Amino acid sequence: MFNPDPSAKPVNTKLPRDVIMMVEKNNLVMAIKTLAADENISIDEAKSRIDAYETQLKVKQQQKLNTIASKQGIPNQAISFDREQEIEDNPEPLVKNRVKAASQKQDFKSLQTGMDSKLNDLGYKKPLLPYWLKRLLMIAILMIGLFWILWRVFG
């Protein structure tokens, strides 16, 4: 269960509604600044009041969790805010995968070969004429056709 510091002196935890909303949304810096500005107190006093409210809030949340857990038959040790996360004893060493700096042509070539190999793996066959060339041919044919029609009408 979450245990607040019993040696701490009691602090007035009554906070304005907007500051409470900031604390609940974990916007602590803005809550401290707002409380200090609204009540003309120092930042340290505002921080201590917000910390007290936060511990009170965590105690209430822990009590609610414990009541729900006891109703469902879950032991209280399974649900706790103050437990430390389990840390691996032997973390895996980090491996750096770096590519040596190369010129622009080599970068483009490697990208092009990688893309070609990926498309080959997918079974994609390249078209005989690229799309942009088809588009240019279509525009040229339309222009020639319009020119021929206009030449026949006005010529």
Side-chain angles (χ1 to χ4, degrees):
M1 185 174 178
F2 182 78
N3 293 324
D5 187 13
S7 64
K9 60 182 177 180
V11 180
N12 182 13
T13 58
K14 186 71 176 165
L15 297 174
R17 186 179 188 105
D18 57 340
V19 174
I20 290 173
M21 289 175 57
M22 288 181 212
V23 170
E24 288 174 355
K25 291 181 180 179
N26 277 340
N27 194 351
L28 298 176
V29 174
M30 195 66 187
I32 291 170
K33 287 181 179 180
T34 304
L35 183 63
D38 287 349
E39 298 188 2
N40 289 334
I41 57 175
S42 70
I43 300 247
D44 293 332
E45 289 179 45
K47 183 182 180 310
S48 65
R49 285 183 58 189
I50 288 176
D51 286 343
Y53 175 77
E54 199 173 15
T55 55
Q56 182 184 21
L57 186 65
K58 284 184 180 181
V59 167
K60 286 181 184 177
Q61 288 175 348
Q62 186 65 40
Q63 288 173 349
K64 286 180 184 178
L65 283 176
N66 285 340
T67 57
I68 293 171
S70 64
K71 287 179 183 177
Q72 295 180 353
I74 300 172
N76 289 343
Q77 294 81 16
I79 301 173
S80 174
F81 282 118
D82 58 349
R83 299 190 289 185
E84 292 184 14
Q85 297 293 326
E86 297 176 11
I87 301 172
E88 291 183 23
D89 291 337
N90 297 326
E92 296 179 14
L94 297 176
V95 178
K96 292 183 180 178
N97 293 330
R98 288 192 174 179
V99 179
K100 292 183 180 179
S103 68
Q104 289 282 346
K105 291 181 181 179
Q106 288 178 343
D107 289 342
F108 183 72
K109 275 252 196 244
S110 65
L111 177 67
Q112 194 172 20
T113 56
M115 185 62 117
D116 288 342
S117 66
K118 185 72 173 176
L119 290 175
N120 288 337
D121 292 343
L122 294 174
Y124 178 78
K125 294 182 179 180
K126 291 183 181 178
L128 187 60
L129 293 174
Y131 181 76
W132 61 271
L133 189 59
K134 287 180 188 175
R135 181 65 60 101
L136 285 177
L137 284 174
M138 187 60 70
I139 292 171
I141 290 171
L142 285 174
M143 288 178 68
I144 291 171
L146 285 173
F147 178 74
W148 184 77
I149 290 172
L150 290 173
W151 182 68
R152 296 292 290 176
V153 169
F154 296 112

